[in-house]
C-alpha cells in the first residue's frame, strides 16, 4: 500500500471515530458534511470484490423467466455515499431506490447522479420505518446497514424493526442480500427472523491481498418463498481457510450450527414456539379461520415495537365446547400462577378454554419482565398484537375481552430476604390468599388465614414450604367444626371457593404480630400426601409401636422443617433425622418457622446423597462408620451438627426425599437428578429395613421425564405407588422394599390404623389423610 493510500485509510479511521453512535442521524450528517460528496466511503468491501457474487444473486428467476436487470426493483437502505448503487446502475440495474436518513448525504448523492443516472431514486427516509407499499421490491441490498443498527449497547430494537420492514417490502421470490461481519449478536437476530418461508445461505466475500488482516465480510442471502417451508441454512464458508480470523469464523459456525439444530428440531415436530410473523404466513394453517383443537405456542411483541414481549398459547376450542359467548378472548395468567397445572399443561389449558366460553382463546403467561407493569398497560400493549390473531369475520370496532387469573394473593408481607452461597436468594413472606381450602377455613378462627412461605428464587414458581400461622389454641376440635358447619347457612363446596373479605387480625396491614406457626397442621397438600403414604406400611408401624420399638425416619431436605415437626408431634415412637445441605436454610427454619430439634428430632448439615450411600454400605457390611458429629456455629449463632453419624447396622424404616433441583432447565424441578439415578435408588433400597418405605416428591411437567423415573424405580423396587395431587405438579412416589405388600382394597382400613397411630382419629387432619390415601394408585 502506497503512502497516499495509507494516509487515506488513516483519515477514514479518524473520521469514523467522530461518529460515536452509528444510529445517530446528527452524527452521520456531520460525518458526510466533513467528508464531502466526492469522497465515497465503502463499508467492508470494494466493487471489485462484490461484483461477481452480487450480479449472480441479482439475476432472480420469477414464475416465468428471469427478471431482467431493467425490470428488477432494488432497494438500498442506509446507502450513505457508497458507489455501490452507481456500479449496479452502470451494469444495467436502473430501478434502484436509495434510502438514508441523512439529508446531507441524500442531497449530495442526488446532485452527483442526477445527470449521469437520471432514473435512480434517492429518498430521505428512516430504514426502520420506510414509506413504501408492501412487496414493492425484488431485492433489498444491505451493505453494513444491519450491523450499524445492531450496536451491542443498544440491543436489537432497531435491527428488529428494520428486518420486519425488509420482510414486508420484498416480493415472493425476492432476495435480501446482506453484507455483514456476521457477529454473533447480529446472526442471533438475523437467522430466526428469516426462519419460516425463506431459503437462506451465507457466503464469504473474497479478501483483497492487502486486506488479509482485516475482518472477513460475509454475504447472507435470504430468498422469500411462496410457502411457509422451514429449510436448513446453506453455507460455502470453509473454516479451515481463515487462518488469522479464527475467532470471527468460529462465532459464525457456532451460530450456524445452533440455528440449524433448532430448525432440525422444529422440522421433527419438537415443541415449537412460533413468532407472530411466522404464524401470519401460514405455518400452522390459516389463522383467519377457526380450526377446532388447534393449539399453538407463540411469542408476541418485539423490542421497540411493543413495550414487552409475551409468551402465549393460541387455542381454538374443541367442537364440543360450544355454544360460545365470545368469538375471541384473551386470558392473562400472572407469573405466580403460570406454573400451575391449569395453565402450564395442555390438558389444563383446554379446561380453561372450555370454561371461558371463547371460540378462540389466547392465553398470555406473564413472567418477571412484567412485574412492574399494571394490567392496563399490558392490555394496551397487547391489544394491537391480539387483533392480528382475530378471526376473519371479527368486527374491527368490537373489543376483544380480556380475562385474568388472579395471582391468588390478597395481601403479602416480606418477612426476610437473604442470599445463601449454596441456594441463592431466599424469601420468607406472609400471605393472605384470596381463596383457601375449605378445610382450613373451618379450622381457624380468623376470617383471613395467614400463611408463612419459604421460597427459593431459583425455582420461584414453586413454594418450598408453607405453614399456617395461628394464635395458640385457635385450631378447633372436630366437634367445634361440625357445630360450625351445622350452623352455617352457606359454605364452600370445594377447594378454592371465595373467602369473605375482612379480617380480625390485629395489625393494620392485616398481619398480626402474635401469631405462631401451627405445627399440628400441614398446609402443603403434598406433605399430607407424603404422610398418607405411610398407610402402605401401617401394619409395620403398628407392630413397632405395640412392642415399644422405634421407627427410624430420615428426611432429605429440611425446607422450613414443617414435615419433620409434624412427624415429631404426631408419631411419638419415631426417631427423625433431617439432612440439609445448606446451613442458611436451617437458620431460616429455626428463626421464622419455629423448627426445634431435640433427642428425637435431629438436623444434620450434610450431603443426603452421600449419607444414604454410606448408610447402605454400613448395613450391608455390618460395621459402624467412624464419622463423628461435629457442632458448627451458623450465621445466627445456632449450633448445627455438621455431619451425620451412622448407627451400626440400623436400617431406615422411612426414607423421604424432598429436595428441589438447583437446575430445573432439564424439566425436573424436584428432586435433583442425582436422587433418581439407579445407583442412588439401589443404595436407598439397601438402606431400608425389610418393611421400609422410600418416598420421593417428584415435580416435573414432562411426562417423558416422569416415565423415565418410573422405569428406573421399577427396576429397583418390587412395588411402586404414587399420588398425583389434583391441579398440582407434585407427584408423590412411594416404593416398597418388601416383595409382599398391602392390596388396594385394604387401604381404607390401613388409613384408619395410621390415623390412630398419629393420634388423629378424631381430627379433621386425620380425615385429610384418609381422603389422600384413597387417591394413591399402584404404578404398574
Amino acid at each position: 500500500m502506497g503512502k497516499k493510500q495509507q494516509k487515506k485509510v488513516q483519515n477514514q479511521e479518524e473520521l469514523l471515530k467522530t461518529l460515536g453512535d452509528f444510529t445517530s442521524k446528527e452524527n452521520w450528517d456531520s460525518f458526510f458534511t466533513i467528508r464531502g460528496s466526492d469522497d465515497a466511503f465503502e463499508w467492508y468491501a470494494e466493487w471489485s470484490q462484490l461484483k461477481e457474487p452480487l450480479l449472480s444473486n441479482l439475476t432472480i428467476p420469477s414464475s416465468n423467466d428471469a427478471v431482467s436487470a431493467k425490470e428488477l426493483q432494488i432497494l438500498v437502505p442506509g446507502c450513505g455515499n457508497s458507489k455501490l448503487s452507481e456500479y449496479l446502475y452502470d451494469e444495467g440495474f436502473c430501478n434502484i431506490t436509495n434510502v438514508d436518513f441523512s439529508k446531507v448525504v441524500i442531497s449530495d448523492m442526488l446532485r452527483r447522479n442526477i445527470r449521469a443516472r437520471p432514473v435512480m431514486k434517492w429518498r430521505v427516509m428512516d430504514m426502520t420505518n420506510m414509506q413504501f407499499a408492501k412487496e414493492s421490491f425484488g431485492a433489498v441490498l444491505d451493505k453494513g446497514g444491519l450491523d450499524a443498527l445492531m450496536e451491542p449497547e443498544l440491543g436489537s430494537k432497531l435491527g428488529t424493526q428494520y428486518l420486519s420492514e425488509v420482510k414486508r417490502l420484498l416480493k415472493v421470490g425476492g432476495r435480501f442480500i446482506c453484507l455483514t461481519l456476521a457477529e454473533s449478536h447480529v446472526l442471533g437476530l438475523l437467522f430466526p427472523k428469516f426462519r419460516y418461508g425463506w431459503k437462506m445461505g451465507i457466503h464469504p466475500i473474497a479478501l483483497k491481498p492487502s486486506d488479509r488482516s482485516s475482518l472477513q465480510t460475509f454475504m447472507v442471502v435470504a430468498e422469500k418463498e411462496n410457502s411457509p417451508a422451514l429449510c436448513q441454512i446453506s453455507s460455502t464458508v470453509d473454516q479451515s481457510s481463515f487462518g488469522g480470523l479464527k475467532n470471527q469464523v468460529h462465532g459464525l459456525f457456532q451460530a450456524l450450527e445452533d440455528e440449524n439444530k433448532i430448525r432440525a428440531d422444529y422440522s421433527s415436530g419438537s415443541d415449537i414456539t412460533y413468532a407472530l410473523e411466522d404464524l401470519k404466513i401460514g405455518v400452522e394453517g390459516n389463522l383467519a379461520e377457526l380450526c377446532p383443537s388447534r393449539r399453538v405456542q407463540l411469542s408476541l411483541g418485539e423490542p421497540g415495537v411493543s413495550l414487552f414481549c409475551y409468551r402465549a398459547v393460541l387455542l381454538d376450542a374443541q367442537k364440543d365446547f360450544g355454544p360460545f359467548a365470545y368469538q375471541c378472548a384473551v386470558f392473562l395468567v400472572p407469573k405466580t400462577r403460570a406454573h400451575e397445572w391449569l395453565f402450564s399443561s395442555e390438558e389444563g389449558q383446554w379446561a380453561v378454554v372450555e370454561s371461558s366460553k371463547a371460540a378462540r382463546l389466547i392465553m398470555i403467561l406473564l413472567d418477571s419482565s412484567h412485574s412492574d407493569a399494571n394490567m392496563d398497560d399490558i392490555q394496551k400493549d397487547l391489544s394491537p398484537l391480539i387483533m392480528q390473531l382475530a378471526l376473519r369475520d371479527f368486527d374491527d370496532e368490537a373489543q376483544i375481552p380480556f380475562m385474568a387469573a388472579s395471582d391468588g394473593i390478597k395481601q403479602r408481607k416480606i418477612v426476610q430476604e437473604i442470599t445463601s452461597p449454596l441456594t441463592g436468594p431466599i424469601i420468607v413472606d406472609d400471605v393472605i390468599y384470596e381463596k383457601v381450602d375449605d378445610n382450613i377455613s373451618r379450622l381457624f378462627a380468623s376470617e383471613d388465614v395467614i400463611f408463612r412461605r419459604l421460597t427459593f428464587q431459583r425455582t420461584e414458581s414453586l413454594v418450598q414450604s408453607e405453614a399456617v400461622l395461628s394464635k395458640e389454641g385457635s385450631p378447633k376440635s372436630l366437634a367445634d367444626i361440625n357445630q360450625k358447619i351445622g350452623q352455617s347457612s352457606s359454605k364452600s363446596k370445594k377447594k378454592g371457593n371465595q373467602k369473605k373479605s375482612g379480617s380480625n387480625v390485629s395489625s393494620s396491614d392485616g398481619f398480626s404480630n402474635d401469631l405462631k406457626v401451627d405445627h399440628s397442621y400441614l398446609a402443603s397438600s403434598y406433605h399430607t400426601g407424603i404422610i398418607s403414604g405411610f398407610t402402605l406400611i401401617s401394619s409395620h408401624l403398628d407392630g413397632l409401636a405395640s412392642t415399644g420399638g422405634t421407627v427410624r425416619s430420615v428426611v432429605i431436605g429440611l425446607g422450613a422443617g414443617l414435615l419433620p415437626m409434624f412427624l415429631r408431634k404426631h408419631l411419638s415412637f419415631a426417631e427423625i433425622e433431617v439432612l440439609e445441605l445448606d446451613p442458611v436454610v436451617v437458620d431460616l427454619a429455626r428463626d421464622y418457622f419455629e423448627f426445634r430439634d431435640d433427642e428425637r428430632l435431629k438436623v444434620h448439615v450434610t450431603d443426603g446423597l452421600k449419607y444414604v450411600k454410606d448408610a447402605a454400605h454400613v448395613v450391608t457390611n455390618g460395621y459402624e462408620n467412624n464419622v463423628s458429629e461435629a457442632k458448627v456455629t451458623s450465621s445466627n449463632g445456632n449450633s448445627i451438627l455438621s455431619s451425620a453419624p451412622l448407627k451400626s447396622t440400623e436400617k431406615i424404616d422411612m426414607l423421604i426425599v424432598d429436595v428441589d433441583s438447583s437446575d430445573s432447565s432439564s424439566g425436573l424441578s424436584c428432586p435433583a437428578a442425582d436422587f433418581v439415578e439407579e445407583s442412588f435408588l439401589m443404595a436407598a433400597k439397601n438402606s431400608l429395613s425389610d418393611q421400609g418405605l422410600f418416598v420421593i416428591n417428584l415435580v416435573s411437567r414432562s411426562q417423558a421425564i416422569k416415565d423415565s423415573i418410573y422405569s428406573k424405580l421399577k427396576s429397583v423396587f418390587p412395588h411402586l405407588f404414587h399420588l398425583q395431587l389434583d391441579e398440582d405438579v407434585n407427584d408423590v412416589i412411594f416404593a416398597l422394599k418388601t416383595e409382599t405388600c398391602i392390596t388396594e382394597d385394604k387401604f381404607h382400613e390401613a388409613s384408619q390404623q395410621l390415623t390412630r397411630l398419629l393420634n388423629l382419629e378424631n381430627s379433621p387432619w386425620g380425615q385429610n389423610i384418609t381422603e389422600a390415601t384413597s387417591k394413591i394408585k399402584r404404578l404398574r
Side-chain angles (χ1 to χ4, degrees), residues 312-608:
V313 185
L314 180 146
L315 301 120
D316 283 351
Q318 297 170 13
K319 287 183 177 180
D320 57 350
F321 282 4
F324 302 112
Y326 310 103
Q327 191 182 55
C328 183
V330 180
F331 194 94
L332 300 175
V333 182
K335 182 191 78 167
T336 53
R337 300 195 63 190
H339 71 280
E340 294 179 17
W341 172 88
L342 194 62
F343 308 115
S344 63
S345 70
E346 185 172 345
E347 185 180 356
Q349 289 168 0
W350 284 121
V352 175
V353 175
E354 185 172 15
S355 63
S356 73
K357 298 299 180 184
R360 170 172 291 173
L361 187 71
I362 300 153
M363 187 177 289
I364 307 295
L365 301 162
L366 301 177
D367 57 37
S368 55
S369 68
H370 310 112
S371 298
D372 296 330
N374 61 51
M375 284 299 137
D376 287 341
D377 290 339
I378 287 175
Q379 185 170 335
K380 289 176 184 176
D381 193 37
L382 276 169
S383 291
L385 300 170
I386 296 299
M387 287 301 296
Q388 298 178 61
L389 296 171
L391 298 167
R392 186 191 309 280
D393 52 353
F394 186 79
D395 184 357
D396 290 342
E397 300 297 321
Q399 293 288 321
I400 294 179
F402 276 72
M403 310 171 186
S406 165
D407 64 3
I409 297 175
K410 184 191 294 185
Q411 286 179 267
R412 179 175 185 246
K413 177 183 177 181
I414 294 179
V415 177
Q416 175 65 292
E417 292 180 278
I418 191 170
T419 298
S420 160
L422 284 177
T423 306
I426 305 174
I427 293 177
V428 177
D429 61 2
D430 290 347
V431 299
I432 297 174
Y433 290 116
E434 292 177 347
K435 303 174 183 179
V436 296
D437 188 292
D438 32 331
N439 287 329
I440 296 176
S441 68
R442 296 195 297 264
L443 288 171
F444 296 91
S446 172
E447 290 289 342
D448 284 323
V449 182
I450 300 174
F451 295 82
R452 176 158 292 174
R453 310 187 306 177
L454 177 72
T455 305
F456 299 162
Q457 287 295 91
R458 68 189 185 190
T459 50
E460 59 183 331
S461 62
L462 295 174
V463 176
Q464 298 295 322
S465 299
E466 186 172 63
V468 174
L469 300 184
S470 67
K471 292 181 180 179
E472 194 170 350
S474 63
K476 308 178 185 65
S477 68
L478 188 60
D480 292 334
I481 294 166
N482 289 334
Q483 183 180 12
K484 178 178 177 181
I485 294 172
Q487 293 173 348
S488 177
S489 61
S490 64
K491 64 178 183 291
S492 300
K493 294 185 179 179
K494 62 178 181 178
K495 178 180 178 180
N497 282 348
Q498 182 67 47
K499 285 286 295 169
K500 297 178 182 177
S501 61
S503 171
N504 57 10
V505 292
S506 59
S507 64
S508 59
D509 63 0
F511 298 99
S512 174
N513 295 322
D514 62 349
L515 299 181
K516 293 185 176 181
V517 171
D518 185 350
H519 285 294
S520 63
Y521 186 79
L522 293 172
S524 296
S525 59
Y526 85 90
H527 276 161
T528 302
I530 288 174
I531 298 294
S532 72
F534 297 175
T535 295
L536 298 169
I537 59 167
S538 61
S539 294
H540 173 58
L541 297 177
D542 190 44
L544 290 172
S546 62
T547 59
T550 298
V551 56
R552 187 180 175 207
S553 307
V554 174
V555 180
I556 303 178
L558 174 66
L562 304 174
L563 179 62
M565 288 290 284
F566 183 89
L567 290 175
R568 181 191 173 281
K569 182 179 180 69
H570 290 285
L571 206 60
S572 59
F573 56 99
E575 182 183 272
I576 306 152
E577 293 179 84
V578 185
L579 315 177
E580 173 55 54
L581 196 59
D582 191 344
V584 174
V585 172
V586 179
D587 286 345
L588 291 172
R590 284 176 166 157
D591 294 345
Y592 297 99
F593 293 87
E594 299 169 50
F595 173 77
R596 300 290 181 266
D597 46 352
D598 55 23
E599 288 304 311
R600 286 184 49 228
L601 171 57
K602 292 185 178 181
V603 61
H604 309 277
V605 176
T606 191
D607 182 350

Side-chain angles (χ1 to χ4, degrees), residues 72 84 346 348 368 486 765:
L72 183 63
L84 181 61
E346 185 172 345
S368 55
W765 301 302

Side-chain angles (χ1 to χ4, degrees), residues 684-700:
K685 179 183 178 183
N686 291 337
S687 71
L688 290 174
S689 64
D690 291 341
Q691 301 296 319
L693 176 68
F694 177 55
V695 185
I696 288 184
N697 176 36
L698 173 62
V699 180
S700 176

Side-chain angles (χ1 to χ4, degrees), residues 69-271:
K70 285 187 177 182
E71 293 172 327
L72 183 63
Q73 296 284 342
I74 300 174
L75 174 66
V76 183
C79 61
N81 68 355
S82 168
K83 291 185 176 181
L84 181 61
S85 297
E86 297 169 0
Y87 288 126
L88 285 173
Y89 190 99
D90 295 344
E91 290 290 334
F93 296 93
C94 300
N95 287 307
I96 300 175
T97 301
N98 300 278
V99 165
D100 203 292
F101 64 0
S102 171
K103 291 182 181 178
V104 173
V105 78
I106 290 296
S107 298
D108 286 347
M109 295 301 285
L110 183 58
R111 281 194 297 268
R112 194 166 89 188
N113 288 282
I114 189 67
R115 291 183 180 176
R117 301 172 184 89
V119 180
M120 190 149 58
K121 301 178 185 70
W122 303 89
R123 298 286 184 268
V124 177
M125 202 175 286
D126 183 346
M127 61 197 288
T128 66
N129 184 23
M130 293 179 275
Q131 285 76 57
F132 299 114
K134 68 177 183 179
E135 299 188 358
S136 295
F137 298 95
V140 176
L141 176 55
D142 178 318
K143 189 183 180 194
L146 177 62
D147 287 6
L149 294 176
M150 291 289 289
E151 286 286 301
E153 313 84 58
L154 300 177
S156 61
K157 171 183 174 180
L158 296 176
T160 298
Q161 292 174 323
Y162 167 55
L163 292 181
S164 293
E165 282 290 86
V166 170
K167 294 172 72 173
R168 181 180 70 85
L169 295 175
L170 273 174
K171 299 176 180 178
V172 172
R175 289 180 180 173
F176 175 47
I177 302 171
C178 181
L179 297 165
T180 174
L181 296 180
E183 294 176 279
S184 58
H185 68 285
V186 175
L187 297 182
L189 175 68
L190 183 59
F191 285 167
K193 265 288 192 178
F194 292 88
R195 194 168 275 166
Y196 287 94
W198 296 84
K199 186 165 64 177
M200 205 170 193
I202 185 165
H203 317 283
I205 298 298
L207 290 170
K208 294 190 296 185
S210 58
D211 290 341
R212 289 300 176 188
S213 61
S214 302
L215 289 173
Q216 174 67 47
T217 300
F218 298 91
M219 177 184 287
V220 177
V221 181
E223 182 176 337
K224 193 172 188 176
E225 301 276 82
N226 199 24
S227 67
L230 181 63
C231 305
Q232 292 281 291
I233 300 172
S234 63
S235 171
T236 58
V237 182
D238 181 3
Q239 191 169 3
S240 63
S241 63
F242 297 94
L245 302 168
K246 287 184 178 178
N247 289 339
Q248 183 192 9
V249 178
H250 175 75
L252 183 152
F253 269 85
Q254 188 63 56
L256 187 61
E257 181 181 339
D258 292 345
E259 176 62 21
N260 276 335
K261 183 180 185 304
I262 290 171
R263 294 181 180 219
D265 289 344
Y266 280 13
S267 296
S268 65
S270 298
D271 206 20

